Amino acid sequence: MTAIGASPGERTLPARPTIGLALGGGGARGFAHILMLEACEALGVRPAIIAGTSIGAVIGAAYASGLSARMLRAHTEEALSQRFDVLRQLYAARSEPVARFLNVIPIRSALLNPRVVLELLLPGKVARSFAGLEIPLRVVATDFLAQEQIVLERGDLRTAIAGSMALPALFAPVSFEGRLLMDGALVNPLPFDVLAGAADITVAVDVSAGSTGEAGRAAPSALSALIAASQIMQRSIVREKLASRRPDIYIDVEVDAFTVLDFHRFRAILDAAAPAQARLKRELEDRLRAWEASPAPAPSTDEPPPTPSAAAPASVPRCDQS
């Protein structure tokens, strides 16, 4: 870029780099993302673009809608203490009239409807469409019929998020513009690659750590085994991605002690993520200092080519010349 007031050909670095933030999937463990947003705010950093998978899409959408990390923490704590109690009661009661009325338990396809869960959890301020966001957001989901990744950037935001978090068996698949969406973590649990070229520095927050929360049990339930198998697969995908390409800053959050369904352990998850928050602040601060200390690119020495004289006319290549 050319600085304002700079002489022709002189270029300078912008005062601060743009940040692309990738928030990975991991169920309840993804509440750790809130601390990472707090770390960014403490350094005066506002992401220029966010990519999110599953719970990362949920947190990313709320932040991209204009909620601060502090507001997001307060809302999440309130929502989990009150609204999840309601959801648990509805599921435990298995009342067919109530379930039919709220469409919470579509028995034929899965335990829960992700759209209903989102409405219970999301703050009212979260935008209804991608167009209403303050920060660009890329939501990663799995196209079930095409069996491939899809990156959503337009249309109905909440439907896109619901599709991104639709873990098979737990949540029903979501129809979206002719596609059938499922959990984005099945194809891309840590979507830093979808931010390639979109920002100067890419930060990826990984909450896909293998869970030790079931370690004391001899045999997990069928649902627990299915979810754990999904987590093993996701962790393998992340390892393979990191082996071929790494983001500028990679934060692996130590939340192994929690399962993807430990929503009631919100405060404990935040406590466990505190060391990762400190690491992010240090690494991001180091990157910002290095950027500011970088010398500006050398002034361009390119000169316009001389104008051909009448005595020596320039040759004009023909269309059939190689």
Side-chain angles (χ1 to χ4, degrees), residues 95-113:
S95 169
E96 186 175 348
V98 173
R100 187 186 302 117
F101 177 71
L102 293 178
N103 196 24
V104 171
I105 310 174
I107 299 296
R108 292 184 179 180
S109 56
L111 295 179
L112 301 170
N113 184 324

Side-chain angles (χ1 to χ4, degrees), residues 242-264:
L242 293 173
S244 59
R245 178 181 183 180
R246 294 182 71 88
D248 298 300
I249 298 176
Y250 169 69
I251 301 297
D252 188 4
V253 187
E254 297 293 334
V255 283
D256 303 59
F258 306 94
T259 72
V260 298
L261 298 180
D262 279 342
F263 293 96
H264 61 290

Side-chain angles (χ1 to χ4, degrees), residues 1-13:
M1 68 178 278
T2 300
I4 298 175
S7 59
E10 181 182 353
R11 293 174 296 158
T12 62
L13 289 172

Side-chain angles (χ1 to χ4, degrees), residues 22 45 76 128 140 199 203 216 222 235 239 249:
V45 171
T76 303
R128 291 284 171 179
V140 174
V203 178
R235 192 62 172 170
R239 282 197 296 264
I249 298 176

